[in-house]
Amino acid sequence: MTDYRDEAVAPATSIEEFRKIVTSRRSVRRFTDEPVPEDVVEDCLDLAMLAPNSSNLQPWEFYVVREKQVMSQLAEACLGQNAATTAQLLIPIVARSNTWKKNSLRNLDYWPEETMPKIIKTYYSKIALFHYNPGPLGSLGMAKKAMGLLAGLARPVPRGPYGINEMRTWAVKSTALAAQNMMLAFRAHGYDTCPMEGFDERRVNKILALPNDAIVTMILGVGKRAPDGIYHRRYRFPRDEFVHYI
Ligand SMILES: Cc1cc2nc3c(=O)[nH]c(=O)nc-3n(C[C@H](O)[C@H](O)[C@H](O)COP(=O)(O)O)c2cc1C
């Protein structure tokens, strides 16, 4: 995989191409019946997985659903939204709050350089295993929080993620970035998406037989936009209410 690590200069890119991809991405609620080629889907999955993520612990999973019967079950769980019922495929994007340990140790195996710096080895074999561990029922998280409160009086300290809920937020952050990479990748390939959080979580978890720590961050409907697939012109609130210069 090209990662430009060995290039002296970063490759030339085009802001205009990027702008076209970002501005032409809309949440598309109706899709045509044109299928999405498998190689496009595979490429978008690869690009999603290149998203930045916390400590490279990659707390995400992607379920590519093309099977008609499962799609219709999922569409029903998505409350019958057009974006789900007309999609060519559905991709539930799932955050995992309990894969940090396995993936921390995996970093030791997957390190891509000849030698692993000691600090990296210590990080993935010790520090991360302690830092991300909420302990039974969040007990270790609570203890770490108390220690952090004390130590934090004198100096800056990391403030979590401590408990089980904070680990869920932690996993969702990185997973949402992968979701955005994926939506932009589909757009760059000429396809469209709609991210959906309007679904019955319990039913979706059951349909996909997800483990307890799974959080379905979004379900993407994917396809080619139908002529009436975008419901209205895009708008955002005035930027000066949201952008602060300090
Ligand atoms: C986390 C998330 C959940 C969303 N859930 C839904 C949904 O369930 N159904 C839907 O039609 N759109 C959903 N959307 C799309 C938003 O309504 C849409 O992004 C927003 O109105 C801005 O429009 P745009 O995406 O076309 O720029 C969701 C978007 C995000 C990021």
Side-chain angles (χ1 to χ4, degrees):
M1 184 198 308
T2 313
D3 65 3
Y4 304 107
R5 166 71 176 75
D6 299 322
E7 309 289 324
V9 184
T13 51
S14 162
I15 183 61
E16 284 317 320
E17 283 304 306
F18 181 68
R19 195 186 312 282
K20 215 191 292 171
I21 292 161
V22 171
T23 55
S24 67
R25 184 215 56 78
R26 293 296 314 275
S27 292
V28 168
R29 273 60 179 243
R30 282 197 192 93
F31 298 98
T32 67
D33 50 17
E34 187 180 324
V36 184
E38 223 163 275
D39 59 334
V40 168
V41 177
E42 293 305 313
D43 192 41
C44 295
L45 288 162
D46 286 343
L47 292 168
M49 292 180 68
L50 293 183
N53 64 92
S54 178
S55 287
N56 211 9
L57 293 177
Q58 305 169 50
W60 47 47
E61 282 176 12
F62 310 90
Y63 289 75
V64 181
V65 182
R66 282 184 182 279
E67 217 266 302
K68 288 284 168 245
Q69 205 195 334
V70 184
M71 277 187 66
S72 83
Q73 285 176 345
L74 275 182
E76 195 185 336
C78 288
L79 316 172
Q81 297 192 48
N82 291 330
T85 56
T86 65
Q88 285 300 307
L89 69 151
L90 292 168
I91 307 184
I93 300 181
V94 174
R96 296 289 308 274
S97 62
N98 207 11
T99 54
W100 51 269
K101 185 175 181 183
K102 180 177 74 178
N103 288 354
S104 190
L105 297 173
R106 262 190 189 174
N107 270 283
L108 299 170
D109 297 331
Y110 279 77
W111 184 253
E113 308 288 346
E114 297 274 291
T115 55
M116 176 180 277
K118 195 158 173 264
I119 188 166
I120 301 284
K121 190 168 179 195
T122 308
Y123 185 75
Y124 286 121
S125 63
K126 294 200 176 83
I127 296 173
L129 298 186
F130 177 72
H131 182 67
Y132 293 107
N133 188 358
L137 300 172
S139 52
L140 180 58
M142 277 192 279
K144 285 188 289 186
K145 189 170 188 166
M147 286 190 305
L149 282 173
L150 269 184
L153 293 173
R155 60 182 165 85
V157 291
R159 307 274 179 174
Y162 292 126
I164 291 163
N165 277 335
E166 287 178 29
M167 281 306 286
R168 287 169 69 83
T169 306
W170 169 84
V172 167
K173 278 194 224 172
S174 294
T175 304
L177 296 179
Q180 177 70 350
N181 262 23
M182 191 183 286
M183 288 186 268
L184 294 179
F186 274 115
R187 186 77 284 280
H189 273 288
Y191 293 87
D192 294 291
T193 54
C194 183
M196 285 175 277
E197 66 183 357
F199 55 81
D200 180 327
E201 196 178 336
R202 269 175 187 260
R203 284 188 165 74
V204 171
N205 289 3
K206 200 166 166 204
I207 293 163
L208 299 173
L210 296 178
N212 282 342
D213 71 306
I215 307 132
V216 183
T217 304
M218 277 164 247
I219 298 181
L220 287 197
V222 185
K224 268 254 154 95
R225 65 180 71 180
D228 59 351
I230 296 173
Y231 288 175
H232 54 77
R233 286 179 210 283
R234 179 149 58 194
Y235 63 97
R236 292 292 188 263
F237 306 128
R239 82 198 296 273
D240 57 2
E241 292 173 30
F242 295 87
V243 181
H244 309 283
Y245 300 95
I246 295 172

